[in-house]
Amino acid sequence: MKLRSRLAQRGRKAGSRPGTVNLPVVRASTVTFSSLAEMDAVQKRFEADEVVPTYGIVNMPLRAAFEELMVEIEGGHRAVTLPSGLAACAVAILACVRAGDHILVTDSAYGPTHRFCSRMLARYGVETTFYDPLVGADISALMKPNTRAVYLENPGSLTFDVQDFPAIARVARERGAAVIHDNTWATGVYFRSFDHGADLVIQAATKYPAGHSDVLIGAVVANEAWWPRLRDTSRDLGQTASPDDLFLAVRGMRTLEARLARHQESALEIARWLRSHPAVKRVLHPALPEDPGHALWKRDFLGSTGLFGVELAIAAPEKVAAFIEGLECFALGYSWGGYESLIVPANLRGSGRVRPWRGGPLVRLQIGLEDPADLRADLERGLEHLASA
């Protein structure tokens, strides 16, 4: 079946009685059995190579459905559930390293991932080198004998740099390092990470999979080789999500492909219009032909989504504030991936990045599911406020 059909059909094996379309929410910390034989059979059915205690952390129908759907979206072998996107980033990295190891992390990664590596990993003796996202195959010069993982985010947060994923993954695998990819921007619908050489794929399912701005949840999908390490790391840390959050995430995933198509169409319409506006210096969107990463995006991606950056031509802080605060359809707020449009300033100056930002004021737009004509009119009014403030 095509992905759209799989997202509607999969993750429904544990049917309820009476037969509801959606799995019911089961809140439980304790699962009981009628006999020792039944307990043993259930535990072994969940994971054949070890005995897993069967209670609220694992082996619940909604969690199984969520993880099954994540594998449908991303590919790979199996998935684990995490309580947030950042937790997914952390668990994926921890599955690959121990004290004394070294990892390479793209400098364009999600800010909290930067902090996790710089603070938490450093406390436990893991060294991190942040690399230029445009390094490509030259990443080989940064590899060390103890490099255990290379972490990609493609395209990168805020600046939307597109990495030469296959080239980087090839070098990492030749040197025996795991390839970790944060695929939140494109999801597996528009970028097939495992096909390009990934071992572990992160999805901040808070964003597009859940899709309604009402849940925090994450997932990591592993290939078969890395599944045991990922499974054990997640369980040893006691990571999971509530049944209510899982229910909301599964509900959102049923419409993921249809929503992404709308996000893509509207975002491209807005981005194309913005690039010709006199108040805009540059639009950072890899699907635009003039974007520096367009050739790689066209080669590797199957589509684009609703998140991109805009470099403004006017730098005065009060004018930027007038623009943002004059908008009505675009709310000022972090996160993204929901049905509503958002705007947030991206402060990259003085951030100590490997590739410093030398441009003007940068804002990030999340194009939601509103009519693009209304969004365009709102941005037009906001940019008029910017010019006249």
Side-chain angles (χ1 to χ4, degrees), residues 13-322:
K13 293 178 181 176
S16 61
R17 294 291 180 267
T20 58
V21 170
N22 294 309
L23 292 175
V25 176
V26 178
R27 302 176 185 88
S29 62
T30 300
V31 177
T32 61
F33 305 92
S34 60
S35 67
L36 289 172
E38 183 192 8
M39 174 184 280
D40 185 58
V42 170
Q43 291 170 334
K44 288 182 177 178
R45 186 166 66 245
F46 179 68
E47 197 68 68
D49 58 352
E50 67 170 340
V51 174
V52 180
T54 307
Y55 54 99
I57 290 181
V58 295
N59 201 22
M60 300 302 286
L62 277 168
R63 174 167 172 158
F66 172 70
E67 292 173 354
E68 181 179 339
L69 289 172
M70 286 308 311
V71 173
E72 292 291 343
I73 293 168
E74 297 295 338
H77 177 61
R78 294 281 296 276
V80 296
T81 300
L82 293 313
S84 69
L86 178 57
C89 298
V91 165
I93 293 170
L94 289 172
C96 301
V97 300
R98 60 184 178 183
D101 287 344
H102 169 254
I103 65 169
L104 289 165
V105 176
T106 179
D107 196 44
S108 58
Y110 177 49
T113 302
H114 258 261
R115 292 195 296 270
F116 172 77
C117 294
S118 300
R119 295 198 302 220
M120 185 64 69
L121 285 188
R123 284 174 53 193
Y124 291 98
V126 177
E127 178 190 5
T128 301
T129 298
F130 295 101
Y131 66 88
D132 184 338
L134 305 184
V135 69
D138 290 339
I139 200 169
S140 59
L142 301 176
M143 301 288 290
K144 299 182 179 183
N146 63 334
T147 302
R148 299 291 177 254
V150 177
Y151 185 104
L152 303 95
E153 183 176 330
N154 196 31
S157 289
L158 301 180
T159 52
F160 300 93
D161 309 284
V162 180
Q163 299 186 256
D164 190 342
F165 196 111
I168 293 172
R170 191 177 307 115
V171 170
R173 288 192 156 193
E174 288 172 354
R175 302 289 288 271
V179 178
I180 307 171
H181 182 216
D182 183 341
N183 197 28
T184 302
W185 184 84
T187 79
V189 177
Y190 290 147
F191 187 85
R192 305 302 295 169
S193 303
F194 291 105
D195 293 346
H196 292 292
D199 295 299
L200 298 163
V201 178
I202 296 160
Q203 189 59 233
T206 301
K207 308 293 197 298
Y208 287 125
H212 292 76
S213 302
D214 53 7
V215 61
L216 288 171
I217 195 167
V220 184
V221 186
N223 59 21
E224 192 167 0
W226 277 94
W227 166 245
R229 289 276 294 273
L230 175 65
R231 175 200 64 203
D232 293 348
T233 302
S234 175
R235 290 183 189 164
D236 291 347
L237 292 171
Q239 296 290 286
T240 190
S242 77
D244 298 273
D245 288 345
L246 284 161
F247 177 87
L248 293 172
V250 169
R251 177 207 61 186
M253 292 162 78
R254 303 299 185 191
T255 61
L256 173 63
E257 190 178 37
R259 287 186 289 105
L260 283 182
R262 174 61 66 183
H263 284 295
Q264 174 178 230
E265 181 181 351
S266 296
L268 282 171
E269 180 177 336
I270 297 298
R272 290 173 181 137
W273 167 72
L274 280 170
R275 65 184 175 180
S276 63
H277 197 284
V280 173
K281 184 175 181 181
R282 183 163 60 112
V283 176
L284 285 67
H285 192 314
L288 297 179
E290 67 272 18
D291 189 272
H294 179 71
L296 289 174
W297 174 84
K298 189 173 182 179
R299 183 193 72 184
D300 296 340
F301 286 75
L302 303 174
S304 62
T305 55
L307 194 75
F308 62 91
V310 178
E311 181 185 356
L312 298 173
I314 300 174
E318 64 275 11
K319 288 181 173 287
V320 176

